[in-house]
Amino acid sequence: MSEISTALKEFQKTLPAHVTLVAVSKTKPMSLIQEAYDAGQRIFGENRPQELAEKAASMPEDIQWHMIGHLQSNKVKYIIHEVAMIHSIDSLGLLDEIEKRAKKIDRKIDVLLQVHIAKEEQKHGFDEEDLHMISSKKLLERYPHIVVRGLMGMATFTEDEKQIRTEFKSLKNTFDSLKNDRGENFDTLSMGMSGDHKIAIEEGSTMVRIGSSIFGNR
Ligand SMILES: *Cc1c(COP(=O)(O)O)cnc(C)c1O
């Protein structure tokens, strides 16, 4: 067994059944992605549009590619054919562009709204107050080719577990309050990375994005 498949299996064992694993393969070569694929993994996360497109073009068709990094509107065209889910919606302009491109190719794209929960400036996302406006039924009716499946957030990069837990808790609260009026399709809460997924799962995550614990350090 390869190192990757061992790491993947060990990691899978720690995941409750309701939590989906996105294997974050950014910067990693296709040979390593293939090893994870051969071990059964089908969902991979990338943070650069061109890198996602390149890998998608040469890897097995049943891989679901998730865009997890900041996405500029002018790069949507690179991934619109291949992407299964976009985690990083942080502006209405980006939704406009995705709608336009998805309509052209008659696709419906699953997305998550990114929420700014960290105390760090450089992280992207909507403020929690903006979200109620943005996820209102009326506004989202403008985007028939987009399905808002839930929220994504990244906690502050810190050793302070209490702070991380507080941030995830607040994201879960926001998720629950939006879920009440967004209904059935709104089922995905993407939170937790290699360093903080345990806390994220305890606080209600349904999807974790794991890179280094599977593929090694970048
Ligand atoms: C890189 C990245 C991850 C994975 O980080 P690891 O610490 O390697 O698990 C998760 N989410 C986002 C948005 C990332 O950019």
Side-chain angles (χ1 to χ4, degrees):
M1 263 209 300
S2 75
E3 252 177 74
I4 300 274
S5 78
T6 309
L8 197 56
K9 289 203 170 108
E10 285 305 310
F11 192 84
Q12 284 282 14
K13 270 190 221 158
T14 71
L15 279 189
H18 68 277
V19 179
T20 301
L21 170 63
V22 178
V24 176
S25 49
K26 62 188 186 194
T27 77
K28 297 295 178 183
M30 291 192 242
S31 55
L32 293 190
I33 301 175
Q34 186 67 46
E35 283 183 28
Y37 179 90
D38 292 340
Q41 181 65 24
R42 290 294 179 272
I43 306 180
F44 292 90
E46 290 285 334
N47 71 339
R48 298 231 162 91
Q50 283 104 323
E51 189 175 335
L52 188 156
E54 254 178 58
K55 286 174 172 170
S58 13
M59 305 246 8
E61 290 221 345
D62 61 341
I63 289 182
Q64 296 163 46
W65 296 97
H66 285 211
M67 178 67 198
I68 62 170
H70 178 61
L71 179 60
Q72 289 173 284
S73 292
N74 62 0
K75 305 264 171 82
V76 169
K77 58 177 182 280
Y78 295 120
I79 61 168
I80 196 72
H81 290 271
E82 306 284 2
V83 77
M85 183 179 269
I86 301 174
H87 291 228
S88 42
I89 304 296
D90 58 3
S91 74
L92 288 179
L94 186 53
L95 284 177
D96 290 340
E97 177 68 14
I98 294 167
E99 172 62 29
K100 190 180 95 187
R101 298 270 171 192
K103 184 177 178 191
K104 243 187 218 165
I105 61 170
D106 196 25
R107 275 200 72 191
K108 267 196 165 200
I109 311 282
D110 284 347
V111 307
L112 304 177
L113 304 175
Q114 185 169 351
V115 189
H116 186 257
I117 53 172
K119 297 221 159 33
E120 296 159 315
E121 279 301 316
Q122 70 271 26
K123 287 191 174 142
H124 295 275
F126 295 110
D127 288 333
E128 304 203 30
E129 303 91 74
D130 296 340
L131 276 175
H132 285 273
M133 185 276 286
I134 287 147
S135 60
S136 77
K137 242 201 167 104
K138 199 147 168 236
L139 191 119
L140 292 180
E141 275 166 6
R142 288 190 356 213
Y143 304 111
H145 296 84
I146 295 175
V147 185
V148 177
R149 295 289 305 274
L151 303 179
M152 184 272 253
M154 288 165 90
T156 306
F157 186 70
T158 173
E159 299 281 304
D160 183 352
E161 293 200 357
K162 229 174 116 196
Q163 184 181 347
I164 295 172
R165 192 176 293 282
T166 304
E167 291 174 1
F168 284 152
K169 230 185 245 305
S170 120
L171 183 56
K172 173 67 158 72
N173 281 337
T174 309
F175 177 74
D176 286 342
S177 69
L178 293 176
K179 193 172 166 53
N180 273 335
D181 42 63
R182 296 241 27 95
E184 237 170 60
N185 278 333
F186 199 86
D187 59 3
T188 304
L189 180 55
S190 168
M191 61 182 197
M193 317 184 6
S194 293
D196 57 18
H197 67 274
K198 283 204 186 85
I199 303 174
I201 291 169
E202 284 165 10
E203 295 305 329
S205 169
T206 71
M207 186 175 271
V208 291
R209 309 175 311 273
I210 307 296
S212 41
S213 290
I214 295 168
F215 292 107
N217 289 332
R218 286 178 299 273

